[in-house]
Amino acid sequence: MNERMETNNPEATEALGEKLGREARAGQIYCLSGDLGVGKTVFTKGFAKGLGITEHVTSPTFAIVNEYEGRLPLYHFDVYRISCEEEMEDTGYEEYFYGDGVCIVEWGLMIEELLPDDCIFIEITKNTEKGFDYRRVSIKEGR
Ligand code: ADP
Ligand code: MG
């Protein structure tokens, strides 16, 4: 998997997330990167739908990780506030990363050294020249 896509509105980013959520397999870890407000949580909401999760998905900024039950369990991290490895260890992340669900890590590159090599890297970027709602989404499997 090494793809580049473009979306022109939030619905398209959500739909892309939903498609990937439908195809997701147990044990996968998705590292989401991109500036604040680029659409990482929008993508995750779609991904959760694709996993058959009906519960409302919100950004886990304060909780660090939220758990949802779907076709597979989804562990939704937002590590923006993590400032050291010890804080990450306190979340018990290894149980999630090496468990039987799927992990999505918003701001995942902030804990890059803790991510396994076979992680799926998704980067969302804006390009204001192409419009306010334009996003480029790159997906790369492995380092
Ligand atoms: P992040 O989690 O990356 O900080 P959010 O997903 O919370 O960002 O917010 C993204 C914001 O950008 C939302 O308000 C959404 O409506 C808006 N938006 C505009 N265009 C897009 C797009 N193409 N894809 C995703 N979100 C978009
Ligand atoms: Mg977010």
Side-chain angles (χ1 to χ4, degrees):
M1 199 191 312
N2 202 340
E3 294 174 59
R4 274 179 166 205
M5 269 146 292
E6 296 175 339
T7 69
N8 288 296
N9 50 58
E11 292 74 25
T13 299
E14 193 173 329
L16 175 62
E18 187 172 348
K19 176 179 174 279
L20 294 183
R22 276 197 303 270
E23 296 166 357
R25 296 188 307 273
Q28 287 180 323
I29 301 175
Y30 291 76
C31 166
L32 300 191
S33 59
D35 292 342
L36 191 70
V38 88
K40 299 181 294 299
T41 301
V42 167
F43 174 90
T44 305
K45 283 176 195 275
F47 194 92
K49 266 194 204 166
L51 277 173
I53 292 159
T54 51
E55 201 181 329
H56 185 64
V57 171
T58 54
S59 186
T61 306
F62 296 100
I64 308 295
V65 56
N66 286 341
E67 303 186 27
Y68 300 96
E69 269 310 318
R71 170 173 69 79
L72 298 166
L74 173 65
Y75 307 119
H76 178 201
F77 289 78
D78 184 325
V79 299
Y80 186 71
R81 273 159 219 280
I82 294 284
S83 56
C84 61
E85 196 168 321
E86 200 184 341
E87 261 176 51
M88 197 57 196
E89 265 153 28
D90 289 344
T91 70
Y93 78 92
E94 283 172 304
E95 297 258 339
Y96 299 109
F97 278 19
Y98 303 102
D100 53 8
V102 181
C103 293
I104 285 201
V105 189
E106 290 194 38
W107 297 99
L109 291 180
M110 291 180 70
I111 55 143
E112 196 173 1
E113 64 282 5
L114 302 181
L115 297 171
D117 287 342
D118 61 358
C119 190
I120 296 154
F121 294 89
I122 299 184
E123 185 187 20
I124 310 176
T125 46
K126 291 189 190 185
N127 182 345
T128 42
E129 280 174 25
K130 295 198 173 190
F132 186 71
D133 288 349
Y134 172 89
R135 304 288 190 268
R136 200 188 67 204
V137 185
S138 336
I139 306 176
K140 178 172 158 265
E141 196 162 356
R143 280 191 216 275

Coordinates of all heavy atoms in Angstrom, one line a residue, residues 42-132:
V42 N -11.7 13.5 11.7 CA -12.7 13.3 10.6 C -12.4 11.9 10.0 O -13.3 11.1 9.9 CB -12.7 14.4 9.6 CG1 -13.5 14.0 8.4 CG2 -13.2 15.7 10.2
F43 N -11.2 11.6 9.6 CA -10.8 10.4 9.1 C -11.1 9.2 10.0 O -11.7 8.2 9.6 CB -9.3 10.4 8.8 CG -8.7 9.1 8.3 CD1 -8.7 8.8 6.9 CD2 -8.3 8.1 9.2 CE1 -8.2 7.5 6.5 CE2 -7.8 6.9 8.8 CZ -7.8 6.6 7.4
T44 N -10.8 9.4 11.3 CA -11.0 8.3 12.3 C -12.5 8.0 12.5 O -12.9 6.9 12.7 CB -10.4 8.8 13.6 OG1 -9.0 9.1 13.4 CG2 -10.5 7.6 14.6
K45 N -13.3 9.1 12.4 CA -14.8 8.9 12.5 C -15.3 7.9 11.4 O -16.0 7.0 11.6 CB -15.5 10.2 12.4 CG -15.5 11.0 13.7 CD -16.2 12.4 13.5 CE -15.9 13.4 14.6 NZ -16.7 13.3 15.7
G46 N -14.8 8.2 10.2 CA -15.1 7.3 9.1 C -14.6 5.9 9.3 O -15.3 4.9 9.0
F47 N -13.3 5.8 9.7 CA -12.7 4.5 9.9 C -13.5 3.7 10.9 O -13.7 2.5 10.7 CB -11.3 4.8 10.5 CG -10.4 3.6 10.5 CD1 -9.5 3.4 9.4 CD2 -10.4 2.7 11.5 CE1 -8.7 2.2 9.4 CE2 -9.5 1.6 11.5 CZ -8.7 1.4 10.5
A48 N -14.0 4.4 12.0 CA -14.8 3.7 13.0 C -16.1 3.2 12.4 O -16.5 2.0 12.6 CB -15.1 4.6 14.1
K49 N -16.7 4.0 11.5 CA -17.9 3.5 10.8 C -17.7 2.3 10.0 O -18.4 1.3 10.0 CB -18.4 4.6 9.8 CG -19.4 5.6 10.4 CD -20.0 6.4 9.2 CE -20.6 7.7 9.7 NZ -20.9 8.6 8.6
G50 N -16.5 2.3 9.3 CA -16.1 1.2 8.5 C -15.9 -0.1 9.3 O -16.0 -1.2 8.8
L51 N -15.6 0.1 10.6 CA -15.4 -1.1 11.5 C -16.8 -1.5 12.1 O -16.8 -2.4 12.9 CB -14.4 -0.7 12.6 CG -12.9 -0.9 12.3 CD1 -12.1 -0.3 13.4 CD2 -12.6 -2.3 12.0
G52 N -17.8 -0.8 11.7 CA -19.2 -1.1 12.2 C -19.4 -0.5 13.6 O -20.3 -1.0 14.3
I53 N -18.7 0.5 13.9 CA -18.9 1.1 15.2 C -20.0 2.2 15.1 O -19.9 3.1 14.2 CB -17.5 1.8 15.7 CG1 -16.6 0.6 16.1 CG2 -17.8 2.7 16.9 CD1 -15.1 1.1 16.1
T54 N -21.0 2.1 15.9 CA -22.1 3.1 15.8 C -21.9 4.2 16.9 O -22.5 5.3 16.8 CB -23.4 2.4 16.0 OG1 -23.4 1.6 17.2 CG2 -23.7 1.5 14.8
E55 N -21.1 3.9 17.9 CA -20.9 4.9 19.0 C -20.3 6.2 18.4 O -19.5 6.1 17.4 CB -20.0 4.3 20.0 CG -20.0 4.9 21.4 CD -19.0 4.3 22.3 OE1 -18.8 3.1 22.2 OE2 -18.5 5.0 23.2
H56 N -20.6 7.3 19.0 CA -20.0 8.6 18.5 C -18.6 8.7 18.9 O -18.2 8.4 20.0 CB -20.8 9.7 19.2 CG -20.4 11.1 18.8 ND1 -20.6 11.5 17.5 CD2 -19.8 12.1 19.5 CE1 -20.2 12.8 17.4 NE2 -19.7 13.1 18.6
V57 N -17.7 9.0 17.9 CA -16.3 9.0 18.1 C -15.9 10.5 18.3 O -16.2 11.4 17.5 CB -15.5 8.4 16.9 CG1 -14.1 8.7 17.0 CG2 -15.8 6.9 16.8
T58 N -15.2 10.7 19.5 CA -14.7 12.1 19.7 C -13.2 12.0 19.9 O -12.6 11.0 20.2 CB -15.3 12.6 21.0 OG1 -15.1 11.7 22.1 CG2 -16.8 12.9 20.9
S59 N -12.6 13.2 19.8 CA -11.1 13.2 20.0 C -10.7 12.9 21.4 O -11.2 13.4 22.3 CB -10.6 14.6 19.6 OG -9.2 14.6 19.6
P60 N -9.8 11.9 21.6 CA -9.4 11.5 22.9 C -8.3 12.3 23.5 O -7.5 11.8 24.3 CB -9.0 10.1 22.7 CG -8.4 10.1 21.3 CD -9.1 11.1 20.5
T61 N -8.2 13.6 23.2 CA -7.1 14.4 23.6 C -6.8 14.3 25.1 O -5.6 14.2 25.4 CB -7.4 15.9 23.2 OG1 -7.7 16.0 21.9 CG2 -6.2 16.8 23.5
F62 N -7.8 14.4 25.9 CA -7.5 14.3 27.4 C -7.4 12.9 27.9 O -6.6 12.6 28.8 CB -8.6 15.1 28.1 CG -8.5 16.6 27.8 CD1 -9.4 17.1 26.8 CD2 -7.5 17.4 28.3 CE1 -9.3 18.4 26.4 CE2 -7.4 18.7 27.9 CZ -8.3 19.2 27.0
A63 N -8.1 12.0 27.3 CA -8.0 10.6 27.8 C -6.8 9.9 27.2 O -6.4 8.8 27.7 CB -9.3 9.9 27.4
I64 N -6.2 10.4 26.1 CA -5.1 9.8 25.4 C -5.6 8.6 24.5 O -5.3 8.5 23.3 CB -3.9 9.3 26.2 CG1 -3.4 10.5 27.1 CG2 -2.7 8.8 25.4 CD1 -2.8 11.7 26.4
V65 N -6.4 7.7 25.1 CA -6.9 6.6 24.3 C -8.4 6.3 24.6 O -8.8 6.3 25.8 CB -6.0 5.3 24.4 CG1 -5.9 4.9 25.9 CG2 -6.6 4.2 23.5
N66 N -9.2 6.2 23.6 CA -10.6 5.8 23.7 C -10.7 4.4 23.0 O -10.1 4.1 22.0 CB -11.5 6.8 23.0 CG -11.7 8.1 23.7 OD1 -11.4 8.1 24.9 ND2 -12.1 9.1 23.0
E67 N -11.6 3.6 23.6 CA -11.8 2.2 23.1 C -13.3 2.2 22.5 O -14.2 2.6 23.1 CB -11.7 1.2 24.2 CG -10.4 1.2 24.9 CD -10.2 0.0 25.9 OE1 -10.9 -1.0 25.6 OE2 -9.5 0.2 26.8
Y68 N -13.4 1.5 21.4 CA -14.7 1.3 20.8 C -14.8 -0.2 20.4 O -13.8 -0.8 20.0 CB -14.9 2.2 19.5 CG -14.8 3.7 19.8 CD1 -13.6 4.3 19.7 CD2 -15.9 4.4 20.3 CE1 -13.4 5.7 19.9 CE2 -15.7 5.7 20.6 CZ -14.5 6.4 20.4 OH -14.4 7.7 20.7
E69 N -16.0 -0.7 20.4 CA -16.3 -2.1 20.0 C -17.0 -2.1 18.6 O -18.0 -1.5 18.5 CB -17.2 -2.8 21.0 CG -16.5 -3.5 22.1 CD -15.4 -4.4 21.7 OE1 -15.6 -5.2 20.7 OE2 -14.4 -4.4 22.3
G70 N -16.4 -2.7 17.7 CA -17.0 -2.9 16.4 C -16.7 -4.3 15.9 O -16.5 -5.2 16.7
R71 N -16.6 -4.5 14.6 CA -16.2 -5.8 14.0 C -14.9 -6.2 14.7 O -14.7 -7.4 14.9 CB -16.1 -5.6 12.5 CG -15.4 -6.7 11.8 CD -15.5 -6.5 10.3 NE -14.7 -5.4 9.8 CZ -13.3 -5.5 9.6 NH1 -12.7 -6.6 9.8 NH2 -12.7 -4.5 9.1
L72 N -14.0 -5.2 14.9 CA -12.8 -5.4 15.7 C -12.8 -4.3 16.7 O -13.4 -3.2 16.4 CB -11.6 -5.3 14.8 CG -11.4 -6.3 13.7 CD1 -10.3 -5.8 12.7 CD2 -11.0 -7.6 14.2
P73 N -12.1 -4.5 17.8 CA -12.0 -3.3 18.7 C -11.1 -2.2 18.1 O -10.2 -2.5 17.4 CB -11.3 -3.9 20.0 CG -11.2 -5.4 19.8 CD -11.4 -5.7 18.4
L74 N -11.5 -1.0 18.3 CA -10.7 0.2 17.8 C -10.2 0.9 19.0 O -10.9 1.3 20.0 CB -11.6 1.1 17.0 CG -10.9 2.4 16.6 CD1 -9.7 2.2 15.6 CD2 -11.9 3.4 15.9
Y75 N -8.9 1.1 19.0 CA -8.2 1.9 20.1 C -7.7 3.2 19.4 O -6.9 3.2 18.6 CB -7.0 1.1 20.7 CG -7.4 -0.2 21.1 CD1 -6.9 -1.4 20.6 CD2 -8.4 -0.4 22.1 CE1 -7.3 -2.7 21.0 CE2 -8.8 -1.6 22.5 CZ -8.3 -2.8 22.0 OH -8.7 -4.0 22.4
H76 N -8.4 4.3 19.8 CA -8.1 5.6 19.2 C -7.3 6.4 20.1 O -7.8 6.9 21.1 CB -9.5 6.2 18.9 CG -9.4 7.6 18.3 ND1 -10.5 8.5 18.3 CD2 -8.4 8.2 17.6 CE1 -10.1 9.6 17.7 NE2 -8.9 9.5 17.3
F77 N -6.0 6.6 19.7 CA -5.1 7.5 20.5 C -5.0 8.9 20.0 O -5.1 9.1 18.7 CB -3.7 6.9 20.5 CG -3.5 5.6 21.2 CD1 -3.9 4.4 20.7 CD2 -2.8 5.6 22.4 CE1 -3.7 3.2 21.4 CE2 -2.6 4.4 23.1 CZ -3.0 3.2 22.6
D78 N -4.8 9.8 20.8 CA -4.3 11.1 20.4 C -3.1 11.5 21.3 O -3.3 11.7 22.5 CB -5.4 12.2 20.5 CG -5.0 13.5 20.0 OD1 -3.8 13.9 20.2 OD2 -5.8 14.3 19.4
V79 N -1.9 11.4 20.8 CA -0.7 11.5 21.7 C -0.1 12.9 21.7 O 1.0 13.1 22.1 CB 0.3 10.5 21.3 CG1 -0.2 9.1 21.5 CG2 0.9 10.7 19.9
Y80 N -0.9 13.9 21.2 CA -0.5 15.3 21.2 C 0.1 15.8 22.5 O 1.1 16.5 22.5 CB -1.6 16.2 20.7 CG -1.2 17.6 20.5 CD1 -0.4 17.9 19.4 CD2 -1.5 18.7 21.3 CE1 0.0 19.2 19.1 CE2 -1.1 19.9 21.1 CZ -0.3 20.2 20.0 OH 0.1 21.5 19.8
R81 N -0.5 15.4 23.6 CA -0.1 15.8 24.9 C 1.0 15.0 25.6 O 1.4 15.3 26.7 CB -1.3 16.0 25.8 CG -2.0 17.3 25.7 CD -3.4 17.2 26.2 NE -4.2 18.0 25.3 CZ -4.3 19.3 25.4 NH1 -3.7 20.0 26.3 NH2 -5.1 20.0 24.5
I82 N 1.4 13.9 24.9 CA 2.4 13.1 25.5 C 3.8 13.7 25.4 O 4.2 14.2 24.3 CB 2.5 11.7 24.8 CG1 1.1 10.9 25.0 CG2 3.7 10.9 25.2 CD1 1.0 10.3 26.3
S83 N 4.5 13.9 26.5 CA 5.8 14.6 26.4 C 7.0 13.7 26.7 O 8.1 14.1 26.5 CB 5.8 15.7 27.4 OG 5.5 15.3 28.7
C84 N 6.7 12.4 27.2 CA 7.8 11.5 27.3 C 7.3 10.1 27.2 O 6.2 9.8 27.4 CB 8.6 11.8 28.7 SG 7.5 11.5 30.1
E85 N 8.3 9.2 27.0 CA 8.0 7.8 26.8 C 7.3 7.2 28.1 O 6.4 6.4 27.9 CB 9.3 7.0 26.5 CG 9.0 5.6 26.0 CD 10.3 5.0 25.4 OE1 11.1 5.7 24.8 OE2 10.4 3.8 25.6
E86 N 7.6 7.7 29.2 CA 7.0 7.2 30.5 C 5.5 7.5 30.5 O 4.7 6.6 30.9 CB 7.7 7.9 31.7 CG 7.5 7.1 32.9 CD 8.1 7.9 34.1 OE1 9.0 8.7 33.9 OE2 7.7 7.6 35.3
E87 N 5.1 8.6 30.0 CA 3.7 9.0 30.0 C 3.0 8.1 29.0 O 1.8 7.7 29.3 CB 3.6 10.4 29.5 CG 3.3 11.4 30.6 CD 3.3 12.8 30.0 OE1 2.5 13.1 29.0 OE2 4.0 13.7 30.5
M88 N 3.7 7.7 28.0 CA 3.1 6.8 27.0 C 2.9 5.4 27.6 O 1.9 4.7 27.5 CB 3.9 6.7 25.7 CG 3.3 6.2 24.5 SD 1.8 7.0 24.0 CE 1.1 5.7 22.9
E89 N 3.9 5.0 28.4 CA 3.9 3.7 29.1 C 2.7 3.6 30.0 O 2.1 2.6 30.2 CB 5.2 3.4 29.7 CG 6.1 2.5 28.8 CD 7.6 2.7 29.1 OE1 7.9 3.0 30.2 OE2 8.3 2.5 28.1
D90 N 2.4 4.8 30.7 CA 1.3 4.8 31.7 C 0.0 4.6 31.0 O -1.0 4.2 31.7 CB 1.3 6.2 32.3 CG 2.5 6.4 33.3 OD1 3.1 5.4 33.7 OD2 2.7 7.5 33.7
T91 N -0.1 4.8 29.7 CA -1.4 4.5 29.0 C -1.6 3.0 28.8 O -2.7 2.6 28.4 CB -1.5 5.2 27.7 OG1 -0.6 4.6 26.7 CG2 -1.2 6.7 27.7
G92 N -0.5 2.2 29.0 CA -0.6 0.8 28.7 C -0.6 0.5 27.2 O -1.2 -0.5 26.8
Y93 N 0.0 1.4 26.4 CA -0.1 1.3 25.0 C 0.3 0.0 24.4 O -0.3 -0.5 23.4 CB 0.7 2.4 24.3 CG 2.2 2.2 24.2 CD1 2.7 1.6 23.1 CD2 3.0 2.5 25.3 CE1 4.1 1.3 23.0 CE2 4.4 2.2 25.2 CZ 4.9 1.6 24.1 OH 6.2 1.4 24.0
E94 N 1.2 -0.7 25.0 CA 1.7 -2.0 24.4 C 0.6 -3.0 24.4 O 0.5 -3.8 23.4 CB 2.9 -2.5 25.2 CG 4.2 -1.8 24.8 CD 5.3 -2.1 25.7 OE1 5.2 -2.0 27.0 OE2 6.4 -2.6 25.2
E95 N -0.3 -3.0 25.4 CA -1.4 -3.9 25.4 C -2.3 -3.7 24.1 O -2.9 -4.6 23.6 CB -2.3 -3.7 26.6 CG -1.6 -4.0 27.9 CD -2.0 -5.3 28.5 OE1 -3.1 -5.8 28.1 OE2 -1.2 -5.8 29.3
Y96 N -2.4 -2.4 23.8 CA -3.3 -2.0 22.6 C -2.5 -2.3 21.3 O -3.1 -2.9 20.4 CB -3.6 -0.6 22.7 CG -4.4 -0.2 23.9 CD1 -3.9 0.6 24.9 CD2 -5.8 -0.6 24.0 CE1 -4.6 1.0 26.0 CE2 -6.5 -0.2 25.1 CZ -5.9 0.6 26.1 OH -6.7 1.0 27.2
F97 N -1.3 -1.9 21.3 CA -0.5 -2.0 20.0 C -0.3 -3.5 19.6 O -0.3 -3.8 18.5 CB 0.9 -1.4 20.2 CG 1.0 0.1 20.0 CD1 -0.2 0.9 20.1 CD2 2.2 0.7 19.7 CE1 -0.1 2.3 19.9 CE2 2.2 2.1 19.5 CZ 1.1 2.9 19.7
Y98 N -0.1 -4.3 20.6 CA 0.2 -5.7 20.3 C -1.0 -6.6 20.7 O -0.9 -7.8 21.0 CB 1.5 -6.2 20.9 CG 2.6 -5.3 20.5 CD1 3.1 -4.2 21.3 CD2 3.1 -5.4 19.2 CE1 4.1 -3.4 20.8 CE2 4.1 -4.5 18.7 CZ 4.6 -3.5 19.5 OH 5.5 -2.7 19.0
G99 N -2.2 -6.0 20.8 CA -3.4 -6.8 21.1 C -4.1 -7.2 19.8 O -3.6 -7.2 18.7
D100 N -5.4 -7.5 19.9 CA -6.1 -8.1 18.8 C -7.1 -7.1 18.1 O -8.0 -7.4 17.4 CB -6.9 -9.3 19.2 CG -7.8 -9.1 20.4 OD1 -7.9 -7.9 20.8 OD2 -8.3 -10.1 20.9
G101 N -6.9 -5.8 18.4 CA -7.7 -4.8 17.8 C -7.0 -4.0 16.8 O -5.9 -4.4 16.3
V102 N -7.5 -2.9 16.4 CA -6.9 -2.0 15.4 C -6.6 -0.7 16.2 O -7.4 -0.2 16.9 CB -7.8 -1.7 14.2 CG1 -7.1 -0.7 13.2 CG2 -8.2 -3.0 13.6
C103 N -5.4 -0.1 16.0 CA -5.0 1.2 16.7 C -4.9 2.3 15.6 O -4.4 2.1 14.5 CB -3.7 1.1 17.4 SG -3.7 -0.1 18.8
I104 N -5.5 3.4 16.0 CA -5.3 4.7 15.2 C -4.6 5.6 16.2 O -5.1 5.8 17.3 CB -6.6 5.2 14.7 CG1 -7.1 4.4 13.5 CG2 -6.4 6.7 14.3 CD1 -8.1 5.1 12.7
V105 N -3.5 6.2 15.8 CA -2.8 7.1 16.6 C -2.7 8.5 16.0 O -1.9 8.7 15.0 CB -1.3 6.6 16.9 CG1 -0.7 7.4 18.0 CG2 -1.4 5.1 17.4
E106 N -3.5 9.4 16.5 CA -3.4 10.8 16.0 C -2.1 11.4 16.5 O -1.7 11.2 17.7 CB -4.6 11.6 16.4 CG -5.9 11.2 15.7 CD -7.0 12.2 15.9 OE1 -6.7 13.5 15.9 OE2 -8.1 11.8 16.0
W107 N -1.4 12.1 15.7 CA 0.0 12.7 16.0 C 1.0 11.6 16.3 O 1.9 11.8 17.0 CB -0.1 13.6 17.3 CG -1.0 14.8 17.1 CD1 -2.3 15.0 17.5 CD2 -0.6 16.1 16.4 NE1 -2.7 16.2 17.1 CE2 -1.7 16.9 16.5 CE3 0.5 16.5 15.8 CZ2 -1.8 18.2 15.9 CZ3 0.5 17.8 15.2 CH2 -0.6 18.6 15.3
G108 N 0.8 10.5 15.6 CA 1.6 9.3 15.8 C 3.1 9.5 15.7 O 3.9 8.9 16.3
L109 N 3.5 10.5 14.8 CA 5.0 10.7 14.6 C 5.6 11.2 15.9 O 6.8 11.1 16.0 CB 5.2 11.6 13.4 CG 4.9 11.0 12.0 CD1 5.2 12.0 10.9 CD2 5.6 9.7 11.8
M110 N 4.8 11.8 16.8 CA 5.4 12.3 18.0 C 5.9 11.1 18.9 O 6.7 11.3 19.8 CB 4.4 13.1 18.8 CG 4.1 14.4 18.1 SD 2.8 15.4 19.0 CE 3.8 15.9 20.5
I111 N 5.5 9.9 18.6 CA 6.0 8.7 19.4 C 6.5 7.7 18.4 O 6.4 6.5 18.6 CB 4.9 8.1 20.2 CG1 3.6 7.7 19.4 CG2 4.5 9.0 21.4 CD1 3.0 6.4 19.8
E112 N 7.1 8.2 17.3 CA 7.6 7.4 16.2 C 8.4 6.2 16.6 O 8.3 5.1 16.1 CB 8.4 8.3 15.2 CG 8.5 7.6 13.9 CD 9.2 8.6 12.9 OE1 9.5 9.7 13.2 OE2 9.3 8.1 11.7
E113 N 9.3 6.4 17.6 CA 10.2 5.4 18.0 C 9.5 4.2 18.7 O 10.0 3.1 18.8 CB 11.3 5.9 18.9 CG 10.9 6.5 20.2 CD 10.3 7.9 20.1 OE1 10.1 8.5 19.0 OE2 10.0 8.5 21.2
L114 N 8.2 4.4 19.1 CA 7.5 3.4 19.8 C 6.6 2.6 18.8 O 6.0 1.6 19.1 CB 6.6 3.9 20.9 CG 7.3 4.7 22.0 CD1 6.2 5.2 23.0 CD2 8.3 3.8 22.7
L115 N 6.6 3.1 17.5 CA 5.7 2.4 16.5 C 6.4 1.3 15.9 O 7.6 1.4 15.5 CB 5.3 3.5 15.5 CG 4.4 4.6 15.9 CD1 4.3 5.7 14.8 CD2 3.1 4.2 16.4
P116 N 5.8 0.2 15.7 CA 6.4 -0.9 15.0 C 6.7 -0.6 13.5 O 6.1 0.3 12.9 CB 5.4 -2.1 15.1 CG 4.1 -1.5 15.4 CD 4.4 -0.2 16.1
D117 N 7.6 -1.3 12.9 CA 8.0 -1.0 11.5 C 6.9 -1.2 10.5 O 6.9 -0.6 9.4 CB 9.2 -1.9 11.1 CG 10.5 -1.4 11.8 OD1 10.5 -0.3 12.2 OD2 11.5 -2.2 11.8
D118 N 6.0 -2.1 10.8 CA 4.9 -2.4 9.8 C 3.7 -1.6 10.0 O 2.6 -1.8 9.5 CB 4.5 -3.9 9.9 CG 4.0 -4.3 11.2 OD1 3.9 -3.5 12.1 OD2 3.6 -5.5 11.4
C119 N 3.9 -0.5 10.7 CA 2.8 0.5 10.9 C 2.3 1.1 9.6 O 3.1 1.2 8.6 CB 3.4 1.6 11.8 SG 2.3 2.7 12.5
I120 N 1.1 1.5 9.5 CA 0.6 2.2 8.3 C 0.6 3.7 8.5 O 0.0 4.2 9.5 CB -0.8 1.7 7.9 CG1 -0.7 0.2 7.6 CG2 -1.4 2.5 6.8 CD1 -2.0 -0.6 7.8
F121 N 1.4 4.4 7.7 CA 1.5 5.9 7.9 C 0.6 6.6 7.0 O 0.7 6.5 5.8 CB 3.0 6.2 7.7 CG 4.0 5.6 8.6 CD1 4.5 4.4 8.4 CD2 4.3 6.3 9.8 CE1 5.4 3.8 9.3 CE2 5.1 5.8 10.8 CZ 5.7 4.5 10.5
I122 N -0.3 7.4 7.6 CA -1.2 8.3 6.8 C -0.9 9.7 7.2 O -0.9 10.1 8.3 CB -2.6 7.9 7.2 CG1 -2.9 6.4 6.8 CG2 -3.6 8.8 6.4 CD1 -4.3 6.0 6.9
E123 N -0.5 10.5 6.1 CA -0.2 11.9 6.3 C -1.3 12.7 5.6 O -1.5 12.5 4.4 CB 1.2 12.2 5.8 CG 1.6 13.6 6.2 CD 2.9 14.0 5.5 OE1 3.4 13.3 4.6 OE2 3.5 15.0 6.0
I124 N -1.9 13.7 6.3 CA -2.8 14.6 5.6 C -2.2 16.0 5.6 O -1.8 16.4 6.7 CB -4.2 14.6 6.4 CG1 -4.7 13.1 6.7 CG2 -5.2 15.3 5.6 CD1 -6.0 13.0 7.5
T125 N -2.2 16.6 4.5 CA -1.7 17.9 4.4 C -2.7 18.8 3.6 O -3.5 18.4 2.8 CB -0.4 18.0 3.6 OG1 -0.5 17.2 2.4 CG2 0.8 17.4 4.5
K126 N -2.6 20.1 4.0 CA -3.5 21.1 3.4 C -2.6 21.7 2.2 O -1.4 21.7 2.3 CB -3.8 22.2 4.3 CG -4.7 21.9 5.4 CD -5.2 23.1 6.2 CE -5.9 22.8 7.5 NZ -6.4 24.0 8.2
N127 N -3.3 22.3 1.3 CA -2.7 23.1 0.3 C -3.6 24.3 0.0 O -4.6 24.1 -0.8 CB -2.3 22.3 -0.9 CG -1.6 23.2 -2.0 OD1 -1.6 24.4 -1.9 ND2 -1.0 22.5 -2.9
T128 N -3.4 25.4 0.6 CA -4.4 26.5 0.5 C -4.6 27.0 -0.9 O -5.6 27.5 -1.2 CB -4.1 27.6 1.5 OG1 -2.7 27.9 1.4 CG2 -4.4 27.3 2.9
E129 N -3.5 26.8 -1.7 CA -3.6 27.3 -3.1 C -4.7 26.5 -3.8 O -5.3 27.0 -4.8 CB -2.3 27.1 -3.8 CG -1.3 28.2 -3.5 CD 0.0 27.9 -4.1 OE1 0.1 27.2 -5.1 OE2 1.0 28.4 -3.6
K130 N -5.0 25.3 -3.3 CA -6.0 24.4 -4.0 C -7.3 24.5 -3.4 O -8.3 23.8 -3.7 CB -5.5 23.0 -4.1 CG -4.3 22.8 -4.9 CD -4.1 21.4 -5.3 CE -2.9 21.2 -6.3 NZ -2.8 19.9 -6.8
G131 N -7.5 25.4 -2.4 CA -8.8 25.6 -1.7 C -8.7 25.3 -0.2 O -7.9 24.5 0.2
F132 N -9.6 25.9 0.5 CA -9.7 25.8 1.9 C -9.9 24.3 2.4 O -9.4 23.9 3.4 CB -10.8 26.7 2.5 CG -10.8 26.8 4.0 CD1 -9.8 27.5 4.7 CD2 -11.8 26.2 4.7 CE1 -9.8 27.5 6.1 CE2 -11.9 26.3 6.1 CZ -10.9 26.9 6.8

